[in-house]
Amino acid sequence: MITSVKNEKIKTLKKLHQRKYRKQTNTFLIEGTHLIEEALVSNWVTKEIIISEEVSVPEAADNVPIIKVTEQVFKELSFTASPQGIMAVVEMKKEDEVSGEVIVLLDAIQDPGNLGTIIRTADAAGTEGIILGDGCVDLYNDKVIRATQGSIFHLPIMHADVEEAAARLKEADYNIWATALEKAENYKELSIPPKTAIIFGNEGAGVKESLLETADERVTIPILGKAESLNVSIAAGILLYYLKN
């Protein structure tokens, strides 16, 4: 039982709150029973589990080292105001090329909640993979991970230059869609291609012009009320379910 927040192990774990230490160690923290259960049944490697006193160890964690800490120490490590008393260190997975009928490309999505929700929605809709471009929020940010609700462990995700990725996908006979508010076709009026790569852009600036110019289709979702636009994660949900219908 670790009882001090000054313990070296605790100091090392606390560093994983920072992106640079996550990159250095190729590991990240997840918190909460559901996320840990999802990680344990995936093909990601859970390196160790940290539990607060009186919290039970998950059944699936048979071969995972357990670190027990006091409630006070756990609060020092926790990302949340009301911690569940369980977290884990997970190893970042080697990225593979994504392929399939529908691929999502994300251009500078900066809000952690939006990125996490898009990942969760893409997983639910049966999308085959996601490509994260430059300027996107860190995939292993705790708010991103919590918003995925475990889908981060079930959907292929890779980092790449979006323009280069779009060019490669175009050569592989993907139809490139880019979301836009102007000079765009209503998505309902477009037939669904055999293979589609769809680009979603930054919350404020949208998809950059260079990507819009290379797209086969600029697509839009009609705004029927007085809202100026849709949240990007909501737009992703509508279009991904349309493409996978």
Side-chain angles (χ1 to χ4, degrees):
M1 177 79 71
I2 297 177
T3 59
S4 173
V5 295
K6 295 181 180 179
N7 180 281
E8 287 304 315
K9 180 66 177 178
I10 301 306
K11 288 181 181 179
T12 300
L13 290 170
K14 186 72 180 285
K15 286 180 179 179
L16 293 178
H17 285 223
Q18 301 174 51
R19 184 175 188 173
K20 68 176 182 178
Y21 287 107
R22 293 195 290 267
K23 291 182 73 173
Q24 284 177 13
T25 61
N26 205 43
T27 60
F28 61 101
L29 287 172
I30 61 174
E31 183 175 357
T33 303
H34 175 69
L35 278 174
I36 290 166
E37 288 174 346
E38 292 293 306
L40 289 170
V41 299
S42 73
N43 58 0
W44 292 58
V45 176
T46 302
K47 297 182 71 69
E48 53 193 4
I49 292 174
I50 303 97
I51 60 171
S52 179
E53 50 197 328
E54 298 181 3
V55 172
S56 301
V57 179
E59 289 183 11
D62 286 347
N63 300 314
V64 182
I66 306 296
I67 300 169
K68 293 186 177 182
V69 302
T70 61
E71 186 176 339
Q72 179 191 2
V73 171
F74 193 91
K75 285 181 178 178
E76 179 71 14
L77 291 174
S78 177
F79 295 105
T80 63
S82 302
Q84 295 180 28
I86 184 166
M87 61 171 43
V89 179
V90 180
E91 187 176 290
M92 294 179 189
K93 196 165 174 281
K94 182 181 177 183
E95 295 184 350
D96 296 317
E97 289 288 330
V98 298
S99 62
E101 292 179 358
V102 178
I103 303 298
V104 175
L105 293 88
L106 300 180
D107 176 30
I109 300 296
Q110 295 181 334
D111 182 85
N114 283 341
L115 177 55
T117 302
I118 291 170
I119 292 169
R120 181 182 182 183
T121 304
D123 181 21
T127 305
E128 281 82 8
I130 293 178
I131 296 173
L132 299 182
D134 295 337
C136 283
V137 62
D138 180 20
L139 175 62
Y140 301 107
N141 176 297
D142 69 287
K143 291 180 182 177
V144 173
I145 294 168
R146 274 185 277 139
T148 73
Q149 283 292 298
S151 288
I152 187 174
F153 301 118
H154 308 308
L155 186 69
I157 302 170
M158 64 175 288
H159 292 80
D161 180 278
V162 174
E163 293 193 36
E164 292 176 2
R168 288 198 305 272
L169 290 166
K170 205 166 188 175
E171 288 177 1
D173 297 323
Y174 280 81
N175 196 275
I176 309 298
W177 286 16
T179 54
L181 293 174
E182 299 177 353
K183 300 178 183 177
E185 298 288 331
N186 183 334
Y187 77 98
K188 289 184 178 179
E189 296 175 0
L190 297 172
S191 59
I192 298 173
K195 296 195 296 184
T196 312
I198 182 165
I199 307 169
F200 297 96
N202 175 268
E203 291 88 345
V207 176
K208 66 169 69 82
E209 187 62 33
S210 57
L211 285 168
L212 289 173
E213 290 174 1
T214 60
D216 297 298
E217 299 284 357
R218 297 187 187 200
V219 299
T220 191
I221 300 168
I223 302 295
L224 306 180
K226 295 182 179 180
E228 183 181 329
S229 62
L230 281 172
N231 173 277
V232 65
S233 63
I234 299 296
I238 293 169
L239 293 172
L240 293 179
Y241 269 94
Y242 177 72
L243 287 170
K244 294 297 286 188
N245 185 2

